[in-house]
Amino acid sequence: IAPSSILDFHTCFDGFQCARLDLPMDWNQTDTESGPRVQLAIVKLPAKVPVTDYRYGGPLWLQSGGPGESGVDFVLQYARSVQMVVDANLHPYPSKSYTGIAEESQGEKFFDVIGIDSRGLNNSTPCFSCFPTVPSKETWNLQSAAEGVLGSSDIALPNLWARMQALGGGCSAKAASSEKDGDRLAFFVNTTPQIADMVAILEQHGRWREREARQQLQHEEVYFSELDRFQIIERTRWKKNEEKLLFWGVSYGTVIGATFAAMQPQRVKRLVIDGVVDTLDYFLGERLHALQDTDAEIERLIEHCDLAGPQRCPLYSNGGSTDILHTFHELIDSLRDNPIGVPASRNLAPDLITYSDVISAVFNALYAPIQDFPPLAERLLDLSKGNGTFFAISKQISQRPRYVSPTPEGQPVKEDACHVQRHVPGDTRMAIICTDTNATQGMTRDAYEAYINTLRSQSPLMAGIFAHPRMLCVNWNLRPKWRFPGPFVGKLQNPLLAIGTARDPVAPIRNAHLLSTRFSPSAVLTLDAEGHCSLSAPSLCMAHHIRQYFQRGLLPAPGTVCEANEKPFLGVTKPADGDEDETKLLEELRWVAKHWN
């Protein structure tokens, strides 16, 4: 798809529309047309009604986390599920004609779901990378992983510290001295320019809406009365410099949402902040408001295991949850000095299962425990018996190299280190983190060790793995050209909804309450469940509140807590009430939880 200065959507994938929008790299340069440009990849799942229908609700911006994850991949995976949550609970095409708007909407809206690959990421160009090829990047990542997580050995910290000094120093120096647009992009990938990109996309979507409506009005097969025509033209008109944002952001996406609210409070129409990262903590570079509920999640998952019994939880013990938790920690600790070797077999390379492997697997499973914790329990049981085969299979699948295939003509294509899967750490992630704050730059190793010890007071088990991203910036010597200084507070024209689980591994629910004190009007909605963000656990109660918010702007009552319909190991604990629509919605939410990552 050729980039364009306007939104020019093309049919793509299965029922989606794609575009590439050409925007300035530097929003503050005098002549934005003559300087370097970025081309952002945009994907949209169209609403179930045309823009001429009075029930058309506009684009809902779905923002993934990271930073550095592909928003395009995120939308492709979850857009249909999100539509099922937020759309009106009725058929989009009843027998009565809805091509015009002779009657007023009663809050029954159908939304587009839209997302982007932010500047420097995946399908957007130019590419930013510290590595010349995909294989060189893969090699570096595997070598870094082999050093182990912080705290796994006496040499993990010094080795990783030296590695990150080499990576950050070399990458930022390369960007600072280069004339290539891809390298210079490092000055312009931080969160602040992304907000300007969002505003530009909102405005361009408003222009697209106006063009699309006029094209449909000219369609000879559809009859519109003069009143219909007048009302459609008025409603779909591009509201220049006034287009509003409907937003659902998760994880780092909550930083983007809160920053948008602080910079553009007049543009907020709906803003769901899900799995709240403390924005101020993030921009200060401290990362101290994340692990407060991590160990509580582990303990609750062990309680679920105990309740589920031996048939559904491999780690079950007659001694109860206390005994299961003791065995869990004992197994992990034993791997520090006694890793488990795995011999080669027909389809398996020889491997070594280490403390770092297990810590990483547990940490990842805490994000999506319904999907990941039961199979992890099986692998941990095998490890407790000295058998690492099943763990090695999972490990090797996750480490499988992703080489670029040749073209159909047999010619090799250019290996581009930017184009990675959504959860493969990219160099743009490092650039975003390190240019969003300069607090870590110049940090000594002693100060960093003190930081790790502070995290250990919050979560002894997960402090080492969570501390790693802050190390990325210790030798990063590059400042962004534009960074919004705050404050990250605001009086909004429309209310904000902060949501999350009661036991989130990296986004404690207290962050949602803190955010609610900074923006008004706002409310907090809590899901009594485990996992990162609300979609990690299916809850009809959450879905109903979120739908009411997007449809009518209604906030839940203060102190509202929703129950999950399914729990790890226990399965469905609260079935749908028998209503066909409720049953379908619950099945969709269960699908999301089982594919959440």
Side-chain angles (χ1 to χ4, degrees), residues 293-294 296-297 300 304 366 500-505 507 509 527-532:
D293 293 338
T294 311
E297 180 185 0
R300 183 58 63 91
H304 291 331
L366 294 178
T501 66
R503 291 163 294 280
D504 188 303
I509 193 63
L527 173 59
D528 185 15
E530 301 74 46
H532 185 40

Side-chain angles (χ1 to χ4, degrees), residues 164-192:
M164 294 307 106
Q165 283 193 315
L167 178 62
C171 193
S172 58
K174 174 174 177 274
S177 62
S178 174
E179 295 300 321
K180 295 181 179 179
D181 286 353
D183 293 332
R184 300 290 295 174
L185 187 62
F187 289 100
F188 307 101
V189 294
N190 56 307
T191 300
T192 304

Side-chain angles (χ1 to χ4, degrees), residues 89-103:
N89 187 27
L90 52 82
H91 198 285
Y93 298 109
S95 57
K96 186 177 180 179
S97 173
Y98 279 90
T99 54
I101 59 162
E103 53 192 282

Side-chain angles (χ1 to χ4, degrees), residues 391-404:
F391 204 105
I393 292 172
S394 175
K395 175 183 173 182
Q396 291 180 19
I397 289 174
S398 69
Q399 293 178 339
R400 189 170 291 162
R402 292 165 299 280
Y403 296 110
V404 180

